[in-house]
Each structure stands twice: as C-alpha cells, then as structure tokens.
Amino acid sequence: MAAVATPSELTCNIILIGDPDVGKRSFRERYVKDEFDESWKTGLPELNLFKTVVVDERTIKIDMCLEMKCYQERNSHIKYSFHKMYSVFVFFDLTNRDSYGNVKLWVQEVRRYSEIKNSSIFVIGNKKDLSNKREVQMEEVQEYCNFEGFTYFETSSKEDPTSIDKAVESAIRKRMMGLEAKLKDEKE
C-alpha cells in the first residue's frame, strides 16, 4: 500500500515554464540554494532541485522542476512533467514584451497537457530590478491574471529573494488547502 501524506507532511511539485532567458533557472537557484549568478544563461542545469521548509508547523518538501522545453523539441517530456505537478509557474521577463505575449501560449500548453484539475497557475514577471528597461506594466498583467483566475507575482532573482519566497509560499498554501479539502471530502 502506498504511503499517504499526513497533514503534517506534504510534497509540493512546482514546474517552471516560459521562454528562454526569462529567469526560471535564476529564480529556482535563488530559492533552493540562495545563489545568483548571471552566467547561468548557458549550459544545462539539473532538472529538479529540492528544498524542505516548514509552513504552519508542516514539513513541506518542494520539488522544483525546470521544464527544459527551451533546450529541446516538443515531446512527451512536457506532458510527463505536467502530470506530476501541483503548481505551474509561467514566467516572462518584465523587460521583454514578446515573452509576456507568449504567456498565453504557455498557458495553452498547461491546459493541453495537465491531467490534474486542482493545479494552480502562477504568472511570474521576473527581473523587476531592471525597472528602467521595463516593457510590461503590472496593471496589464494583473488584469489578465484576474480574468483567468491566476495569481501574479513580480520577482527579482538578483535583488529580491523575498519576492521569490512569497510566490513559492503562495503555491504551498494553495497545495495545503487543496489537500485539506481532499481529506475533508474523504472523511464525509
């Protein structure tokens, strides 16, 4: 018989997707390892990184999967990744309007391949530290996210690790609420 997560222990799988060079890898490295290196643009990183945190007296194991679509052709890997996720972070670069335009395409991919109805979609506008080069305004993105029912965060992997912590904690809390609702339904 498979082990069932108790309310005090939980795994939160988060997949990071978006165009190349929008800061997915930097976001993940900053969150998991508290490191930032501008040279991360090249080379193939580890696909999954893990971190254990405690939220509301619960131990949470976070599995952050970096979708490597930007390094490979379309294939079944993305479908496999979505099958195992609980939260999807769709990234764009606040200094690159084209990357924001592609958010809707990434969301289509999520909807096309996601087999989990309770998944949460978070839109992440990264590189907010480059405000003098900003091409996408918060109000525009917030309007889209409100319409779609997504959660929106602006982050900076380089200068504001707290913004990253807030985004991940929001995903954890949504996961915890989903698990609590499921356990409640099973008891009734």
Side-chain angles (χ1 to χ4, degrees):
M1 181 164 83
V4 176
T6 66
S8 64
E9 58 187 52
L10 178 66
T11 298
C12 186
N13 299 334
I14 302 172
I15 187 169
L16 312 180
I17 62 173
D19 286 359
D21 301 323
V22 295
K24 301 177 300 287
R25 183 176 181 179
S26 296
F27 178 100
R28 187 181 66 154
E29 299 283 333
R30 173 62 90 177
Y31 182 74
V32 174
K33 298 179 179 180
D34 195 25
E35 295 175 356
F36 179 83
D37 183 343
E38 293 188 35
S39 68
W40 282 332
K41 291 182 179 181
T42 60
L44 294 175
E46 302 167 72
L47 289 179
N48 293 69
L49 288 180
F50 303 92
K51 181 175 181 174
T52 301
V53 298
V54 176
V55 176
D56 296 341
E57 300 179 14
R58 294 181 180 165
T59 302
I60 314 292
K61 180 180 178 186
I62 299 166
D63 175 0
M64 281 198 171
C65 177
L66 185 62
E67 178 50 58
M68 299 306 296
K69 186 175 180 184
C70 59
Y71 297 105
Q72 62 191 15
E73 297 296 320
R74 291 180 185 257
N75 62 31
S76 62
H77 176 69
I78 195 166
K79 184 174 182 178
Y80 174 76
S81 296
F82 285 143
H83 176 71
K84 299 193 123 207
M85 60 81 187
Y86 294 109
S87 298
V88 177
F89 284 18
V90 183
F91 280 77
F92 72 96
D93 178 345
L94 288 162
T95 68
N96 180 333
R97 177 154 287 284
D98 290 341
S99 71
Y100 174 64
N102 290 333
V103 165
K104 290 180 182 177
L105 299 174
W106 287 103
V107 168
Q108 285 176 355
E109 291 282 300
V110 172
R111 289 180 172 153
R112 179 177 175 198
Y113 291 115
S114 179
E115 297 176 15
I116 301 172
K117 292 180 182 178
N118 66 345
S119 64
S120 299
I121 297 176
F122 296 78
V123 175
I124 307 293
N126 202 20
K127 303 184 185 182
K128 75 175 185 176
D129 55 290
L130 301 175
S131 58
N132 61 329
K133 297 180 181 180
R134 187 179 188 121
E135 294 182 4
V136 183
Q137 298 306 313
M138 178 186 286
E139 298 77 16
E140 176 183 3
V141 184
Q142 193 63 60
E143 182 178 327
Y144 165 69
C145 289
N146 288 345
F147 178 78
E148 292 289 346
F150 303 151
T151 303
Y152 177 56
F153 286 95
E154 291 191 351
T155 62
S156 169
S157 302
K158 184 176 184 178
E159 295 181 2
D160 188 7
T162 303
S163 62
I164 294 169
D165 293 342
K166 288 178 182 176
V168 174
E169 184 173 326
S170 181
I172 291 168
R173 290 191 183 284
K174 281 192 176 188
R175 173 73 175 118
M176 288 168 55
M177 288 180 355
L179 180 62
E180 287 169 358
K182 183 178 178 182
L183 291 172
K184 182 180 177 184
D185 288 346
E186 289 174 0
K187 287 180 181 179
E188 292 177 355

